Amino acid sequence: MKKTNPLLEKFSKIISTAFNPIFSLVAFFIYNFYQQPTGQSFSTTFLPLLLGIILPIILWIFWNVKRGKYTDSDVSNQGQRNSLYLVIVGLLCAFLVWDHQANQNIDIKIAFLLLLFLLMMLSNFFIKSSMHTAFNIYVSTLFFAINPMVGGIWLVLTAFVAYTRIVLKRHTPKEIIAGTCIASIVSFIYLYSNILLNLK
């Protein structure tokens, strides 16, 4: 078996960690917060996402890694991912319900994130789609809707992220393609819906 170049493997670990799905989501929502009109407060925009979605997911993964239920923080084992998907889907549903009650609207970004994870959860019964790839493609789409140049840069970076997942032997090319296809479908529908909403 061909050995991986140590320098390439080290570089891949750095890129893969930096573009972890949770970190990517945090990066987008911080960027989105600063793009909001003045008067939007941290406590009504970013804080609910942090406390309602991001922090619980981090704690859930950390707790299960510590208990030995998850092999690693990436939850690379296909069978172990089912419980993670259920928790994430549950948190996203709970957030959407809360947001609708509190603000009388549905956050389209979170709604399509929910769709992405539902499709990822479904695909996990057949193939372990790359969460890093799928998530970063979706995040690049979110960036693109605000600033096309930032979205384009993030998409190029996502290609490197996808490659690192293969280098680190966390995914096969088929799993990368599966994640790409799922995220591309969701991203296209999101952009189309976003355009329609902005035309109203």
Side-chain angles (χ1 to χ4, degrees), residues 75-91:
V75 195
S76 299
N77 183 287
Q78 187 174 354
Q80 294 171 0
R81 284 195 170 189
N82 292 327
S83 63
L84 177 62
Y85 283 133
L86 283 171
V87 167
I88 293 173
V89 165
L91 288 168

Side-chain angles (χ1 to χ4, degrees), residues 5-17 160 163-164 167-168:
N5 182 308
L7 189 62
L8 177 61
E9 190 169 350
K10 188 174 182 179
F11 175 75
S12 295
K13 282 180 181 175
I14 293 168
I15 295 295
S16 190
T17 302
F160 287 105
Y163 178 68
T164 67
V167 170
L168 297 171

Side-chain angles (χ1 to χ4, degrees), residues 65-66 90 132 140 143 178:
V65 169
K66 193 172 181 181
H132 272 72
S140 71
F143 276 119

